[in-house]
């Protein structure tokens, strides 16, 4: 009996042959394996979003594979957060499709979409905790959505575990969101997103507005989520240090409004540790944080 | 000279075109608003029947909308009754029909003023609070967070408030009516010296059960309109504190206008029903 290989293979290791679901091949270590091709966890196909007759995203094609953490970088207004919200269909795309584990989210009815969303965790920029609920209730919320019959004691244990996991004491569970600092709220938001054991985590600028120590804590949490919980992640960030630390792969978006006809909005898509070697001026400008050159460009555009 | 005239004509034409453009845009915006509100209302009604609302969210909404509005509604009702007595007493006294004061006060209370003024008060107290609460949730991404975890925000946030308004606003209207009747009677009998026997006798003759039902029936629609308009404004709130403030104000203004429109339409409809069922128009007070 051959072992099952469910890695994200696009080509079999036998090399060059046509591949199909269930193909038996011999891997490099000599074992016989069955190829199980798995669709990417998230796939955007020709995705476009238009607000007020202006394209924010246009013709975005992107795949995120299982186990990978992808960082999306780019300057403000280039559509990073819009992409993240479109990925979970909080924003309906104007054109194109989003596939989650091969399921076209646009084809689902609201009940089916609700079910799919329970498999995705979202960490919002300002945490977006429900301010009418205590911290404990906030964390319990997604668990109860998955299984409304979870017992009270089970819920309390799970909340305590999750709070410990994000470096907080279980006593915090009784406090209200308004009583917590920004960093604490973000960690609670993180715990809430992890509570339903998602397959995919979406992080919207998780380190923005935090001091360097708290930023590092959040980075560590993202790495732990990937390594310990085997969660695939998409991180939207301005923070290059954070992107390089947590991501395997970086994609850089460029504002649609400044592109020429036919130019792709994705100006970099490659390994995180390779971005420094990019020859694209737009990428180097962002990575090295050369504000002067960009400022000159903006001033020039305005005077024109 | 001719050149000046042409220039003037051209300016006037430009002004007229600009005015027509503004009117067209305003009309277009209102049609879009009506369409979006209708779609939002249909979605709410769909979720109302698709899945039962959670008990705990329902109880909380009923408490906030109903129980917490009780003092202000009782106060409003009492003062409506007393003000009616103050305003109508001199007119009735002048024609020697002081004894029929109760009929005028109580009929106008249960049919019109009670439901309309209670609904107006609730559009201010409840509607603005709903719009501000949901608007804040929108701008702080709490509605997005809710949707991202699975629940449909309309089912979770709008349906309980809609049901609570449908149940509690008619209940509050009964309370406003009752307090208005008591306030009017107290003022008329104790302070204006109207004979209490005649006061109640004429009231009993003038106010039929159908009149009370008509007021209640209207208040159900007022409640539904307040809930839907306020929730819609909250859900479609613009960013920032200014956006929340605007949503709150707009929810009151649009609810108030809708209450007046519904009052007219339902008033005509209920009078027609009265004619069909009871074979005559409403009773005359005098």
């Amino acid at each position: 009996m051959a072992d099952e290989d469910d890695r994200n293979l696009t080509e079999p290791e036998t090399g060059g042959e046509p591949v199909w679901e269930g193909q038996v091949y011999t891997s490099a270590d000599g074992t016989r394996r069955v190829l199980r091709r798995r669709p990417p966890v998230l796939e955007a196909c020709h995705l476009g979003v238009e607000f007020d007759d202006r394209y924010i995203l246009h013709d975005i094609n992107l795949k995120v594979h299982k186990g990978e953490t992808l960082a999306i970088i780019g300057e403000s207004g280039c559509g990073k957060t819009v992409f993240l919200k479109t990925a979970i269909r909080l924003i309906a795309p104007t054109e194109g499709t989003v596939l989650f584990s091969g399921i076209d989210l646009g084809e689902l009815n609201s009940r089916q979409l609700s079910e799919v969303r329970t498999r995705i965790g979202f960490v919002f920029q300002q945490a977006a905790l429900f301010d009418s609920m205590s911290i404990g209730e906030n964390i319990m919320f997604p668990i109860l959505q998955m299984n409304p019959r979870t017992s009270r004691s089970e819920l309390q244990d799970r909340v305590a575990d999750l709070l410990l996991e994000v470096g907080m004491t279980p006593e915090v569970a009784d406090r209200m969101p308004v009583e917590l600092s920004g960093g604490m709220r973000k960690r609670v938001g993180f715990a809430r997103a992890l509570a339903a054991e998602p397959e995919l985590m979406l992080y919207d600028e998780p380190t923005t507005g935090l001091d360097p120590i708290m930023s590092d804590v959040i980075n560590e949490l993202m790495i732990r989520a990937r390594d310990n919980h085997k969660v695939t992640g998409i991180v939207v960030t301005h923070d290059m240090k954070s992107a390089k630390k947590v991501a395997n792969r970086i994609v850089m978006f460029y504002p649609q409004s400044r592109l020429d006809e036919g130019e792709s909005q994705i100006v970099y898509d490659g390994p995180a540790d390779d971005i420094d070697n990019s020859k694209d001026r737009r990428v180097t400008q962002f990575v090295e944080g050369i504000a002067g050159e960009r400022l000159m460009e903006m001033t020039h555009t305005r005077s024109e | 000279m001719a050149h000046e005239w042409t220039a003037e004509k051209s300016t006037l034409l430009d002004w007229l075109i600009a005015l027509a453009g503004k009117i067209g845009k305003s009309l277009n915006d209102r049609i879009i608003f009506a369409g979006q509100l209708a779609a939002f209302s249909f979605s709410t009604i769909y979720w109302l029947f698709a899945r039962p609302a959670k008990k705990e969210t329902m109880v909380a909404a009923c408490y906030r909308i109903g129980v917490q509005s009780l003092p202000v509604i009782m106060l409003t009702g009492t003062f409506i009754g007393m003000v009616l007595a103050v305003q109508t007493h001199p007119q009735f006294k002048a024609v020697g029909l002081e004894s029929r004061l109760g009929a005028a006060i109580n009929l106008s209370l249960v049919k019109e003023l009670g439901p309309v003024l209670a609904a107006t008060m609730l559009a201010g107290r409840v509607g603005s609070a709903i719009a501000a609460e949901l608007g804040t949730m929108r701008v702080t991404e709490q509605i997005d967070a809710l949707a991202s975890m699975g629940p449909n925000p309309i089912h979770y946030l709008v349906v309980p408030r809609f049901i609570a308004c449908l149940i509690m606003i008619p209940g509050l209207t009964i309370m406003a009516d009752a307090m208005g009747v008591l306030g009017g009677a107290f003022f008329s009998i104790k302070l204006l010296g109207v004979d209490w026997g005649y006061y109640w006798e004429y009231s009993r003759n003038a106010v039929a059960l159908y009149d009370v039902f008509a007021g209640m029936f209207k208040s159900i629609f007022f409640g539904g309109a307040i809930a839907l308009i306020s929730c819609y404004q909250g859900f479609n709130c613009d960013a920032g504190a200014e956006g929340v403030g605007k949503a709150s104000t707009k929810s009151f203004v649009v609810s108030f206008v809708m209450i007046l429109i519904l009052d007219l339409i339902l008033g005509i409809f209920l009078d027609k029903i009265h004619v069909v069922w009871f074979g005559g128009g409403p009773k005359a007070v005098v």
Side-chain angles (χ1 to χ4, degrees):
Chain A
M1 182 67 189
D3 295 335
E4 286 206 349
D5 182 349
D6 59 358
R7 286 176 297 163
N8 306 299
L9 295 178
T10 50
E11 292 292 325
E13 290 171 19
T14 46
E17 294 294 314
V19 290
W20 65 90
E21 177 77 20
Q23 179 189 14
V24 180
Y25 68 98
T26 308
S27 69
D29 60 5
T31 53
R32 280 168 63 74
R33 290 169 182 267
V34 178
L35 181 67
R36 290 268 178 262
R37 295 186 70 189
R38 188 181 279 188
V41 175
L42 194 90
E43 184 175 3
C45 310
H46 305 290
L47 193 70
V49 178
E50 197 182 344
F51 290 146
D52 300 328
D53 298 330
R54 195 168 63 93
Y55 270 108
I56 304 297
L57 295 175
H58 184 56
D59 202 23
I60 297 285
N61 291 293
L62 203 60
K63 286 179 184 173
V64 186
H65 292 287
K66 187 170 166 58
E68 129 177 275
T69 299
L70 170 81
I72 301 177
I73 59 168
E75 59 189 79
S76 298
C78 69
K80 306 182 296 290
T81 299
V82 171
F83 175 80
L84 218 54
K85 290 190 174 177
T86 312
I88 192 172
R89 222 178 157 80
L90 291 174
I91 296 173
T94 315
E95 58 190 34
T97 51
V98 176
L99 306 175
F100 174 73
S101 294
I103 305 162
D104 182 352
L105 298 186
E107 297 288 310
L108 304 180
N109 62 32
S110 48
R111 270 171 200 254
Q112 292 165 327
L113 187 62
S114 293
E115 279 168 24
V116 167
R117 280 174 176 167
T118 59
R119 294 159 62 189
I120 304 172
F122 202 126
V123 179
F124 286 84
Q125 193 175 348
Q126 303 297 333
L129 301 180
F130 303 130
D131 46 23
S132 57
M133 296 181 189
S134 70
I135 298 302
E137 287 166 340
N138 263 282
I139 299 173
M140 285 171 197
F141 193 87
I143 304 171
L144 288 169
Q145 292 308 310
M146 295 277 286
N147 185 6
R149 290 188 185 161
T150 314
S151 70
R152 191 81 198 159
S153 63
E154 220 175 303
L155 281 170
Q156 280 167 344
D157 290 347
R158 184 97 181 96
V159 168
D161 288 346
L162 284 160
L163 283 171
L164 287 171
E165 194 164 342
V166 295
M168 295 170 89
T169 55
E171 287 75 47
V172 175
D174 295 328
R175 291 167 69 180
M176 297 302 281
V178 74
E179 297 171 47
L180 304 186
S181 69
M184 287 170 94
R185 258 184 267 163
K186 275 210 174 155
R187 282 189 281 165
V188 174
F190 205 99
R192 184 177 70 177
L194 274 179
E197 297 171 356
E199 294 163 43
L200 172 68
M201 283 279 270
L202 306 174
Y203 307 95
D204 187 11
E205 307 205 14
T207 56
T208 301
L210 298 180
D211 62 73
I213 297 168
M214 192 48 71
S215 294
D216 254 4
V217 170
I218 298 287
N219 288 338
E220 273 309 316
L221 290 175
M222 287 191 276
I223 293 169
R224 257 194 257 168
R226 183 189 68 201
D227 296 343
N228 300 350
H229 296 273
K230 308 290 175 216
V231 177
T232 308
I234 304 178
V235 189
V236 156
T237 184
H238 286 114
D239 183 350
M240 272 314 298
K241 196 179 146 201
S242 169
K244 284 182 188 170
K245 188 168 181 182
V246 302
N248 317 99
R249 191 176 133 213
I250 293 181
V251 164
M252 182 170 161
F253 283 6
Y254 201 67
Q256 179 63 30
S257 55
R258 294 215 304 278
L259 289 173
D260 291 330
E261 186 73 34
E263 267 190 305
S264 170
Q265 206 172 344
I266 296 178
V267 292
Y268 179 85
D269 183 353
D273 45 18
D274 214 26
I275 194 164
D276 293 325
N277 303 324
S278 172
K279 297 280 181 274
D280 192 316
R281 193 173 58 88
R282 296 167 297 191
V283 180
T284 52
Q285 226 179 33
F286 186 85
V287 172
E288 291 164 19
I290 307 168
E293 201 179 333
R294 177 75 193 100
L295 195 62
M296 284 289 284
E297 255 179 39
M298 285 165 77
T299 320
H300 185 63
T301 315
R302 192 169 290 175
S303 63
E304 273 176 355
Chain B
M1 196 67 180
H3 177 72
E4 263 177 38
W5 183 82
T6 316
E8 220 170 78
K9 192 180 159 192
S10 149
T11 316
L12 182 69
L13 196 67
D14 287 347
W15 182 80
L16 282 172
I17 290 170
L19 183 70
K22 273 184 192 168
I23 293 170
K25 190 185 175 303
S26 167
L27 200 66
N28 189 40
D29 289 349
R30 273 160 180 72
I31 292 168
I32 290 171
F33 169 76
Q36 286 175 341
L37 182 61
F40 185 83
S41 305
F42 282 127
S43 186
T44 305
I45 289 162
Y46 166 78
W47 280 105
L48 180 68
F49 296 106
R51 202 185 293 171
K54 296 218 172 201
K55 203 174 79 185
E56 59 270 31
T57 51
M58 276 289 310
V59 170
C62 285
Y63 178 76
R64 263 182 294 153
I65 290 166
V67 179
Q68 290 189 337
S69 302
L70 208 53
V72 75
I73 276 297
M74 287 169 73
L75 194 73
T76 310
T78 310
F79 276 85
I80 298 168
M82 293 198 293
V83 168
L84 273 173
V86 172
Q87 296 297 335
T88 46
H89 180 254
Q91 317 298 326
F92 276 67
K93 197 177 179 184
V95 289
L97 292 169
E98 210 179 346
S99 54
R100 297 186 184 229
L101 194 62
I105 292 173
N106 293 328
L107 190 61
S108 47
L109 251 173
V110 297
K111 266 189 97 173
E112 277 302 323
L113 290 174
V116 170
L117 289 179
T120 306
M121 174 55 85
L122 291 167
R125 209 203 89 84
V126 174
S128 298
I130 290 175
E133 188 186 6
L134 296 184
T136 307
M137 287 185 78
R138 167 63 74 204
V139 299
T140 55
E141 295 185 308
Q142 290 178 54
I143 294 180
D144 283 345
L146 182 73
S148 76
M149 283 182 262
N152 182 289
I154 290 190
H155 177 252
Y156 194 84
L157 296 172
V158 181
V159 170
R161 286 166 175 79
F162 180 65
I163 298 173
C165 282
L166 285 185
I167 298 170
M168 302 312 283
I169 290 184
L172 290 167
T173 303
I174 294 180
M175 187 51 81
D177 287 351
M179 293 309 293
V181 168
L182 290 178
F186 169 78
F187 209 89
S188 305
I189 297 164
K190 292 283 175 197
L191 302 177
L192 301 173
V194 178
D195 181 83
W196 78 270
Y198 284 127
Y199 186 91
W200 291 117
E201 181 60 23
Y202 281 117
S203 295
R204 198 172 61 81
N205 288 341
V207 182
L209 200 59
Y210 183 81
D211 299 319
V212 180
F213 160 79
M216 301 307 312
F217 184 76
K218 281 197 249 184
S219 68
I220 296 170
F221 285 84
F222 297 159
I226 291 169
L228 290 172
I229 291 165
S230 310
C231 290
Y232 172 83
Q233 293 294 352
F235 261 60
N236 293 283
C237 172
D238 290 337
E242 196 187 346
V244 176
K246 271 187 188 167
S248 181
T249 310
K250 270 171 96 176
S251 93
F252 175 72
V253 174
V254 179
S255 297
F256 182 55
V257 172
M258 192 54 83
I259 287 165
L260 296 179
I261 295 171
L262 283 172
D263 188 42
L264 176 68
I265 296 169
L266 292 170
I268 295 168
F269 170 74
L270 287 163
D271 280 350
K272 295 277 180 219
I273 294 285
H274 190 274
V275 172
V276 172
W277 275 0
F278 301 102
K283 278 183 193 174
V285 173
V286 179

